[in-house]
Each structure stands twice: as C-alpha cells, then as structure tokens.
Amino acid sequence: MTAKIPEISADLTASLQQQLASTAGRWTPQQGVQGSAIEGLDLIRCDQPSNTGPSVYEPSLCFLIQGTKTIELGDRQITYRPLSYLVTSVPLPVSGSIETASIDHPYLSVRLKVDRQEVAELVMELGDRAPAPDPDELCTDTLCGLCVTVMDEPMQNALYRLLQLLDSPSDIPVLAPLIRREIIYRALMGERGSRMRKFAATDTQANRISKVISTLKDHYAEPLRVGQLAEAANMSESTLYHSFKQVTRMSPLQFQKKLRLHEARRLMLMEGLEAATASYRVGYESPSHFSREYSRLFGAPPKTDVAVLQGARETADSA
C-alpha cells in the first residue's frame, strides 16, 4: 500500500489551533515530557502553572500549541504564546515557567530536535533563495542563540501533518523525514530564519561560537582556558567573550558552571551518585563549594533537590 501524506480538512484554517491541540492532547495522556514514535519528536503537557526549573535546551524547534511559557536565558526573558515557536540554535542552560495552564486547557507543546548538519545542508541548498534578515526583528540582539517567532499557516499545516503521522505508524519511516525537512525549511525561510542560518553557515561568527559551545559541552569537567578556546575559534579573547555573551547571555565561565551543575544533577538522579562523588566527576574540587552553587541554581541543596525529583518521578510512574 502506498503511503500518503495525511490530508488537511477543509476547515483546518479556521480551527487549526483546536485541531493541533486535540491531536497533541491525545498523545499526551500524562503530564511532563513524552516521547513519540517519530525520532526527535517529543510532546509536553502541563495541567497547571508551574516553575519548570533550570534545564539545558538542545538545538530544537519548540512549538507552543496551548498555554504560555516564559524562558529566562541569562539576563534575557522571552515569553511565547500559542501558535508561536522557539528556535534554539545551540545548547543553552535556561530556566522556565509555565504561566498559563489548567486541566481543561492544558499547556501543550511539541519539541522537534534539530541536527546542525541537517540545517547546514539545507542552508547550502537554499543558497541565495533564503530571504534577507528582517530589519524589524523583535529581538534586537540578532546573535542570541534563542528567539521566538509566530507559526505561519504553512508551518502550522506541516506540524499538523507530522502529528497526524502518529495515528499511522507504518507511514512514519517514509513520511516523517519529509515533513521534518519541510518544517526546518519553513523555519529557515521564516522571519527568524536568518538566526538559524548564521549558526549553520560556515565561517560566521555565530558558527564559531557554536563550535566553542560544543567544545565546552564536551569538556565541561576540564579547567576553562579561554585563550585556547579563542585560538581554536580564530578570535581574540575579548571578541570571544563578547560574542559568547551575545549568543548565550552569560560568560564562558557561567556557561561551564551551569553545564557542570546540570550534569551533576543527572548523575545523582539517574546513576545514584552521592553529591560529593558527582561534584568531583563534573570538575569541582570542593564539595562544599559545589553544594553552595547547586543550591543557588536549583533552589535546594543537592540531597534535598534530588529527593524531590525522585519523589515526583515515582508519582508520575505510578499514575
């Protein structure tokens, strides 16, 4: 049987948000992040306003279907609303809070992880066809690695068709990659597409900072040597510092510290390590120093924070 892309109903334009919400709601029976049969696609649901806390956003497109959410990245605060999407071009430690959600009208979003090589190949294919940057961008700092934009109708349609594939799993291997490519294409051609292209295009300042971030992410437990990072990126230390802060809204040292603390939290929660052991594993020399910085970021000492997280996970598993 030949696979077919799911058709869009005649009244989709008038009730697109409702149909997106209905489809996403069916595939999020529980609160929290839920994976799907489509590789790289997660769905998120929350039934009440909540502080989602610190986390590390990987490169992705996150589509908000229902509710509102505020993201804090360093000194920048971004609020996004229904039928908008968040573009994350590089790994970024952020904090978030869901502002609007209820049992009858839950927060619903869809996250599509994006591979940098995939974006780079599309950028090369587009060439001069890609639109010029919008001079009236809402975010004046065009090097920031996080921005939000509105889903236009073609993007909404593409997202709807991707979600509809969850109802026909046999079609997923053939059609999901095609629709995924369409979604990335539409993001690149959209009003924030110039952001994504800067990070994907070779020999741009944004791309060099992206590589620095990848190096820090891979070697977060090692001592920070800004001079070596600058030399590898072919930049002066002052230019690296300034550009890095534009992209991440924090200094390289602050960025490394947050990566270390997030990894320590994962080691304690998922691998059962004691706080002192986890602190040494991620590069801290003093467990007491680690505990103070952990408490400042996560709002509680390591042992208390992990106990709360484990209790929440056990409650969700038994629901």
Side-chain angles (χ1 to χ4, degrees):
M1 183 177 178
T2 303
K4 294 175 63 179
I5 296 177
E7 294 183 0
I8 302 170
S9 61
D11 63 343
L12 181 58
T13 301
S15 60
L16 190 51
Q17 184 182 357
Q18 291 85 349
Q19 294 198 44
L20 283 167
S22 175
T23 305
R26 285 193 292 107
W27 291 99
T28 51
Q30 300 176 2
Q31 293 194 76
V33 180
Q34 290 154 74
S36 75
I38 298 174
E39 184 177 0
L41 183 76
D42 297 321
L43 296 95
I44 302 100
R45 176 185 180 131
C46 187
D47 292 342
Q48 64 276 320
S50 65
N51 181 2
T52 57
S55 60
V56 177
Y57 278 15
E58 295 296 331
S60 59
L61 301 172
C62 190
F63 302 91
L64 203 159
I65 297 172
Q66 197 165 264
T68 58
K69 186 173 185 177
T70 297
I71 302 296
E72 292 184 2
L73 173 65
D75 61 355
R76 183 184 293 279
Q77 189 176 84
I78 298 175
T79 298
Y80 65 122
R81 296 177 173 81
L83 298 186
S84 65
Y85 64 99
L86 195 71
V87 180
T88 308
S89 299
V90 290
L92 291 171
V94 303
S95 295
S97 59
I98 293 172
E99 310 290 345
T100 306
S102 67
I103 294 177
D104 294 332
H105 201 77
Y107 168 90
L108 295 169
S109 65
V110 176
R111 181 175 62 207
L112 183 66
K113 296 177 183 176
V114 175
D115 179 75
R116 188 169 63 185
Q117 184 59 35
E118 185 178 19
V119 176
E121 290 173 359
L122 258 177
V123 168
M124 290 182 63
E125 187 174 333
L126 287 171
D128 295 336
R129 288 181 293 158
D134 182 355
D136 298 321
E137 281 192 347
L138 296 176
C139 299
T140 57
D141 187 354
T142 58
L143 198 61
C144 184
L146 192 71
C147 64
V148 65
T149 187
V150 175
M151 275 193 274
D152 60 16
E153 189 173 318
M155 179 67 90
Q156 295 172 43
N157 290 340
L159 179 62
Y160 179 72
R161 285 186 277 111
L162 186 65
L163 293 180
Q164 282 292 90
L165 285 179
L166 296 173
D167 290 319
S168 53
S170 63
D171 292 341
I172 288 174
V174 174
L175 296 183
L178 301 178
I179 303 175
R180 172 190 174 86
R181 181 178 171 85
E182 178 188 349
I183 287 173
I184 296 173
Y185 163 79
R186 296 200 180 281
L188 286 170
M189 297 297 283
E191 63 178 8
R192 296 293 180 268
S194 62
R195 302 284 190 96
M196 294 177 68
R197 295 195 297 276
K198 284 180 182 178
F199 286 95
T202 58
D203 200 31
T204 62
Q205 191 158 296
N207 183 262
R208 290 195 289 272
I209 294 299
S210 177
K211 292 178 180 178
V212 169
I213 289 172
S214 294
T215 299
L216 285 175
K217 190 170 182 288
D218 293 339
H219 303 281
Y220 60 84
E222 300 175 11
L224 181 66
R225 296 182 174 88
V226 176
Q228 290 182 2
L229 291 172
E231 184 178 355
N234 196 26
M235 304 169 78
S236 68
E237 289 190 32
S238 60
T239 299
L240 170 65
Y241 183 90
H242 177 72
S243 299
F244 191 95
K245 197 159 188 179
Q246 279 188 295
V247 172
T248 67
R249 313 307 300 179
M250 63 193 82
S251 69
L253 183 61
Q254 291 171 322
F255 186 90
Q256 183 196 50
K257 180 194 301 183
K258 289 191 175 184
L259 289 182
R260 286 180 168 183
L261 293 171
H262 279 285
E263 176 60 12
R265 194 188 206 194
R266 188 194 69 80
L267 290 170
M268 289 184 289
L269 181 63
M270 306 304 295
E271 300 185 19
L273 296 189
E274 296 292 332
T277 303
S279 71
Y280 291 129
R281 181 82 66 86
V282 300
Y284 278 87
E285 297 180 356
S286 167
S288 60
H289 181 210
F290 164 75
S291 183
R292 288 194 299 272
E293 293 197 335
Y294 189 102
S295 298
R296 278 197 290 269
L297 180 61
F298 296 112
K303 187 174 181 179
T304 303
D305 177 60
V306 171
V308 171
L309 291 174
Q310 288 175 332
R313 188 170 63 174
E314 290 169 1
T315 301
D317 290 342
S318 62

